[in-house]
């Protein structure tokens, strides 16, 4: 074993020091700062690749099993770093169109109703229950734009939904079949309506009151065909719920919507994400309507519009709120559909390889994340397992000092900028565990789609009472098997009599990577079980205030913590006695009876006592008008660590 001299730590310490001392002070929204930081990271990556190729790969004979394995590992590594380089190139720019939205809103609010563009609002539904669709319908109807029509597009042909729409003054539209799923549903609606602008909302997405006022003005620019809003979620996602994090860690889609999409937009390579978008009818008709060739019609439509000279503009504001998948089953249905649709772009004449796109557009729309990131994450788990059980090393002619000198700096250099750019939306530990959980289902989807890209029908992400529950036994079983192989491999190599890896330095390195993978596998196992939703209605975060009249004569202005169609959490002033029940006086003159069912420090839990459907409708309108909060109060790393340990031990 070669003793460490201490000099091998220099590069890692330098990169760590820059990440801690310099990065936080860099202006992350300025292009020059992004280019500088990401260029340094890529330069360190090039240094690492030069060492890997020249010192640990080229000297190896690929015709042997050991050599073939080393070249295979290097191939996966190069693919991962190319994916990272493309992402970093994209992230050198970012955009913010909120000031434009301010100007557009001021102008639109001064215009008479007759001069405002007419808008059709399509709420697409298939099999969701009343508990999912009633809030979004009422929220859409309550938007403060005077010239729009709400259309409920029911591909489930349900009489109760038709009656609900009629009783609430909302237009209802259905069709005789479900051909082409959601895309076909929208195209049918386009044939029955005529407004130049139309909004697409999934059944669980509720628009904020100013949704149209903040977006319609962008269409004064004739190049804009679609304005896409971020997807904000009012419930904890599956990963947060099953790991016991509540809603105090970043929803895993925040990195994409808050960081990646603004960067894509800055390159004019943003794309439609279906729900929470407003679109120009005439532009869509130029490409034949919503495309039906792919199960992700939204991204394909953006590509086809790019060829016509149109762009998709991304406005990063929380103007619509939906539900993230409410079960492990639902999450996999959603991600498998996204994966399959992304890969279908490779096989369509209007896809990423078709004519009429620039090099940058091809590069940024190429489904490299699906093809590389997901398989690489799963492959990385196998590398130390293979080494522990067979002795086939992933790289040759390298000792522990080389790994510290070359590999550790590049890991820090690539991780640090992502943490800096994401502003807390990227947590490496959780991100690794979540991507690993997804990989068990998505890798088979990738392989099957590459073999047979078309023929799998569109599947709606189940929501509400139809979301289902139950662990994903395949994903959890796969993760558990790999965890056992990892732990047994470490155990075998801990005894001299059964040791496969003889060199102590190599054994130490294998142990470190095995420990990292074991942590990710444990997170995947925990997240793969389905805890189930504890409430019949989702509680939505809000910081709105409400005037409370207690049954003991107490009056106070209290702040809401969360609210749903069945109850609320309320911050009660500690100096006041807690009544048994109270009357909430709502903005706009309504009143709501509530019973105190729980006390927890300064927070009390309320159950609403609704007299009839009218009171329920008033409640839902109030919920979507008080300013639901898309932001989260993040857990500190010690808090998150304690919760994860409690979940692992509990």
């Amino acid at each position: 074993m070669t003793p460490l001299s201490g000099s091998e730590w220099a590069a890692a310490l330098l990169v760590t020091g820059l990440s801690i001392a310099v990065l936080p002070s860099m202006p992350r929204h300025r292009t020059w700062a992004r280019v500088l930081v990401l260029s340094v990271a890529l330069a360190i990556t090039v240094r690492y690749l030069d060492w890997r190729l020249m010192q640990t790969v080229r000297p190896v004979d690929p015709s042997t099993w050991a050599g073939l394995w080393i070249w295979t590992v290097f191939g996966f590594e190069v693919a991962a770093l190319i994916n990272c380089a493309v992402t970093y190139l994209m992230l050198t720019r970012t955009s913010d169109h909120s000031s434009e939205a301010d100007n557009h809103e001021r102008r639109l609010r001064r215009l008479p109703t007759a001069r405002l563009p007419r808008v059709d609002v399509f709420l697409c539904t298939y099999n969701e229950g009343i508990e999912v669709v009633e809030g979004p319908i009422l929220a859409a109807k309550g938007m403060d734009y005077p010239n729009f029509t709400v259309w409920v597009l029911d591909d489930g042909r349900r009489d109760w939904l038709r009656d609900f729409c009629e009783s609430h003054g909302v237009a209802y539209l259905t069709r005789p079949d479900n051909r082409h799923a959601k895309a076909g549903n929208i195209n049918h609606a386009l044939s029955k309506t005529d407004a130049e602008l139309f909004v697409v909302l999934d059944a669980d997405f509720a628009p904020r009151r100013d949704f149209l006022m903040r977006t319609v003005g962008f269409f004064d620019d004739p190049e804009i065909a679609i304005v896409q809003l971020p997807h904000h979620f009012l419930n904890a996602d599956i990963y947060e719920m099953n790991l016991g994090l509540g809603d105090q860690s970043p929803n895993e889609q925040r990195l994409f919507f808050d960081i990646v999409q603004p960067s894509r937009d800055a390159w004019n390579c943003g794309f439609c994400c279906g729900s929470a978008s407003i679109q120009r009818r005439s532009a869509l008709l130029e490409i034949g309507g919503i495309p039906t060739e792919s199960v992700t019609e939204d991204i394909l439509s953006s590509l086809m519009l790019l060829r016509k000279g149109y762009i998709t503009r991304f406005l990063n504001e929380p103007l619509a709120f939906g539900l993230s998948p409410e079960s492990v089953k639902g999450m996999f249905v959603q991600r498998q559909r996204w994966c399959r649709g992304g890969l279908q772009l490779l096989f369509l004449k209007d896809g990423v390889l078709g004519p009429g796109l620039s090099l940058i557009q091809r590069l940024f729309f190429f489904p490299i994340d699906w093809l590389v990131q997901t398989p690489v994450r799963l492959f990385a788990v196998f590398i130390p397992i293979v080494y522990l059980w067979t002795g086939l090393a992933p790289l040759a002619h390298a000792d522990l000092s080389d790994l510290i000198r070359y590999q550790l700096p590049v890991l820090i250099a690539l991780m640090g900028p992502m943490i800096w750019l994401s502003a807390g939306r990227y947590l490496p530990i959780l991100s690794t565990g979540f991507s690993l959980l997804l990989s068990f289902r998505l890798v088979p989807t990738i392989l099957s789609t590459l073999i047979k890209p078309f023929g799998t029908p569109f599947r709606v992400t189940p929501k509400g009472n139809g979301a289902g529950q139950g662990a994903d036994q395949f994903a959890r079983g796969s993760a558990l098997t790999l965890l056992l192989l990892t732990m047994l491999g470490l155990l075998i190599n801990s005894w001299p009599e059964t040791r496969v890896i003889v060199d102590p330095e190599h054994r130490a390195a294998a142990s470190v990577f095995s420990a990292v993978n074991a942590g990710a596998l444990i997170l995947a196992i925990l997240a793969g079980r389905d805890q189930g939703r504890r409430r019949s209605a989702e509680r939505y975060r809000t910081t709105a205030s409400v005037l409370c009249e207690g049954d003991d004569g107490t009056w106070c202005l209290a702040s809401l913590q969360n609210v749903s169609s069945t109850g609320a959490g309320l911050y009660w002033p500690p100096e006041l006695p807690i009544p048994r029940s109270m009357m909430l006086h709502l903005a706009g003159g309504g009143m709501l009876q509530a019973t105190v069912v729980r006390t927890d420090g300064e927070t009390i839990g309320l159950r609403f006592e609704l007299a009839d459907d009218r009171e329920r409708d008033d409640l839902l309108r109030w919920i979507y008008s008080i300013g639901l909060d898309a932001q989260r109060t993040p857990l500190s790393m010690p808090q998150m660590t304690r919760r994860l340990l409690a979940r692992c031990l509990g």
Side-chain angles (χ1 to χ4, degrees):
M1 178 176 179
T2 305
L4 300 179
S5 64
S7 61
E8 60 274 346
W9 291 95
L13 291 174
L14 176 61
V15 176
T16 302
L18 291 174
S19 299
I20 295 174
V22 178
L23 271 185
S25 62
M26 298 285 283
R28 70 171 62 90
H29 296 295
R30 302 296 296 273
T31 299
W32 68 263
R34 288 171 171 247
V35 171
L36 177 61
V37 170
L38 298 178
S39 296
V40 170
L42 292 177
I44 295 172
T45 303
V46 171
R47 168 183 177 265
Y48 169 73
L49 283 175
D50 177 69
W51 168 75
R52 279 285 280 123
L53 178 63
M54 303 306 296
Q55 301 299 321
T56 72
V57 178
R58 283 193 63 185
V60 176
D61 181 5
S63 64
T64 65
W65 283 112
L68 179 61
W69 174 244
I70 287 172
W71 277 90
T72 301
V73 171
F74 182 65
F76 272 86
E77 199 170 2
V78 169
L81 291 174
I82 290 174
N83 183 24
C84 189
V86 171
T87 301
Y88 277 7
L89 173 62
M90 182 191 303
L91 293 176
T92 54
R93 299 181 182 179
T94 191
S95 67
D96 183 356
H97 297 289
S98 287
S99 60
E100 294 175 60
D102 291 339
N103 294 333
H104 289 314
E105 182 178 5
R106 281 193 292 268
R107 177 176 56 82
L108 291 176
R109 291 192 183 279
R110 290 195 297 265
L111 290 177
T113 300
R115 292 184 57 192
L116 290 171
R118 198 157 52 84
V119 182
D120 286 321
V121 179
F122 298 153
L123 198 146
C124 307
T125 176
Y126 171 57
N127 61 357
E128 300 82 6
I130 186 64
E131 77 282 355
V132 173
V133 300
E134 61 179 340
I137 290 173
L138 293 173
K141 186 182 175 184
M143 287 188 290
D144 63 352
Y145 185 87
N147 197 10
F148 72 99
T149 303
V150 177
W151 296 83
V152 174
L153 313 184
D154 180 18
D155 252 3
R157 293 173 287 280
R158 291 158 292 180
D159 292 341
W160 64 262
L161 183 55
R162 180 200 59 212
D163 295 341
F164 180 87
C165 292
E166 289 179 356
S167 65
H168 290 81
V170 173
Y172 175 84
L173 195 59
T174 188
R175 57 186 178 138
D177 57 49
N178 292 4
R179 192 163 181 262
H180 299 310
K182 179 181 175 182
N185 197 6
I186 297 173
N187 283 332
H188 176 259
L190 289 174
S191 71
K192 301 296 183 181
T193 59
D194 59 4
E196 171 62 1
L197 301 180
F198 65 95
V199 173
V200 176
L201 295 170
D202 284 347
D204 58 303
F205 265 83
R208 210 170 70 181
R209 284 177 56 80
D210 55 351
F211 181 102
L212 292 175
M213 283 295 184
R214 302 288 294 172
T215 56
V216 166
F218 282 93
F219 290 91
D220 284 355
D221 182 347
E223 288 189 345
I224 294 178
I226 300 173
V227 175
Q228 177 65 54
L229 283 303
H231 292 181
H232 281 276
F233 303 100
L234 298 169
N235 58 331
D237 64 33
I238 286 298
Y239 207 58
E240 297 165 321
M241 183 180 71
N242 290 341
L243 291 180
L245 300 175
D247 58 3
Q248 291 179 288
S249 68
N251 182 283
E252 50 90 20
Q253 291 193 49
R254 293 273 53 81
L255 181 66
F256 171 75
F257 281 111
D258 293 347
I259 306 300
V260 174
Q261 271 282 52
S263 290
R264 296 186 67 99
D265 177 87
W267 291 92
N268 282 339
C269 287
F271 62 83
C272 179
C273 301
S275 187
S277 64
I278 180 169
Q279 309 186 27
R280 191 191 300 269
R281 177 190 295 262
S282 57
L284 268 294
L285 292 181
E286 282 188 45
I287 62 171
I290 306 295
T292 59
E293 297 87 347
S294 171
V295 294
T296 49
E297 74 291 332
D298 38 24
I299 187 171
L300 179 58
S301 65
S302 291
L303 266 176
M304 295 173 70
L305 288 165
L306 275 176
R307 290 185 165 90
K308 294 288 187 179
Y310 293 105
I311 60 174
T312 297
R313 177 63 68 228
F314 181 71
L315 175 61
N316 191 17
E317 293 186 359
L319 296 177
F321 304 88
L323 298 176
S324 63
E326 299 174 280
S327 66
V328 175
K329 169 189 172 184
M331 178 190 67
F332 280 125
V333 167
Q334 180 189 71
R335 301 313 163 88
Q336 287 174 303
R337 184 178 71 244
W338 293 355
C339 176
R340 186 172 291 109
L343 295 179
Q344 285 174 344
L345 297 179
L346 296 172
F347 301 92
L348 293 166
K349 63 180 179 62
D350 291 317
V352 69
L353 300 179
L357 296 176
S358 69
L359 177 61
I360 283 292
Q361 289 168 343
R362 294 187 196 281
L363 190 62
F364 290 166
F365 277 91
F366 194 86
I368 190 170
D369 279 345
W370 298 118
L371 287 172
V372 173
Q373 189 177 53
T374 300
V376 164
R377 178 61 259 174
L378 185 57
F379 183 75
V381 177
F382 281 96
I383 294 175
I385 293 176
V386 170
Y387 194 20
L388 291 169
W389 283 88
T390 69
L392 287 175
L395 66 168
H397 311 299
D399 54 27
L400 185 59
S401 64
D402 290 324
L403 297 181
I404 295 172
R405 184 177 287 110
Y406 293 102
Q407 196 166 67
L408 185 59
V410 79
L411 292 174
I412 300 170
L414 294 178
M415 192 179 302
M418 284 303 299
I419 296 173
W420 170 65
L421 287 172
S422 70
R425 296 168 180 84
Y426 169 69
L427 300 174
I429 297 175
L430 294 182
S431 177
T432 300
F434 185 75
S435 63
L436 185 56
L437 172 66
L438 289 175
S439 69
F440 293 113
R441 285 292 185 187
L442 294 187
V443 168
T445 300
I446 292 169
L447 295 175
S448 64
T449 303
L450 292 176
I451 295 170
K452 184 183 177 183
F454 304 101
T456 302
F458 183 100
R459 293 183 64 193
V460 176
T461 304
K463 297 285 178 69
N465 292 333
Q469 293 184 16
D472 187 289
Q473 299 300 342
F474 174 78
R476 295 187 77 220
S478 301
L480 182 59
T481 300
L482 294 180
L483 179 61
L484 290 175
L485 288 173
T486 300
M487 303 309 292
L488 285 174
L490 289 172
L491 187 61
I492 289 172
N493 282 273
S494 67
W495 294 327
E497 296 82 4
T498 58
R499 191 168 287 162
V500 177
I501 305 174
V502 178
D503 186 281
E505 285 191 3
H506 294 173
R507 195 165 60 250
S511 298
V512 170
F513 284 104
S514 296
V516 172
N517 285 337
L521 287 166
I522 290 171
L523 291 179
I525 292 168
L526 292 173
R529 64 176 180 175
D530 202 330
Q531 299 285 69
R533 302 290 173 177
R534 297 182 179 180
R535 297 188 175 103
S536 59
E538 288 288 351
R539 287 288 176 96
Y540 304 151
R541 294 177 304 279
T542 181
T543 56
S545 297
V546 61
L547 185 61
C548 307
E549 178 187 1
D551 58 2
D552 56 359
T554 303
W555 285 78
C556 77
L557 187 66
S559 177
L560 286 166
Q561 179 190 42
N562 54 60
V563 64
S564 76
S565 60
T566 59
L570 193 69
Y571 292 114
W572 190 257
E575 67 276 7
L576 296 178
I578 299 175
R580 290 176 298 179
S581 64
M582 64 183 68
M583 185 70 72
L584 305 183
H585 294 260
L586 312 181
M591 294 187 295
L592 188 64
Q593 183 69 39
T595 300
V596 177
V597 294
R598 176 182 54 82
T599 61
D600 183 12
E602 295 182 1
T603 305
I604 62 175
L606 302 178
R607 182 183 67 241
F608 297 142
E609 309 294 344
L610 302 177
D612 50 35
D613 289 342
R614 182 188 58 79
E615 281 199 1
R616 181 179 176 83
D617 289 351
D618 290 344
L619 169 61
L620 288 170
R621 292 190 187 95
W622 174 67
I623 287 175
Y624 287 105
S625 69
I626 60 177
L628 300 178
D629 187 6
Q631 306 302 317
R632 301 171 181 223
T633 303
L635 293 171
S636 66
M637 284 306 296
Q639 288 174 318
M640 188 172 296
T641 302
R642 284 197 298 271
R643 288 199 180 187
L644 289 175
L645 286 175
R647 180 66 54 159
C648 292
L649 299 174

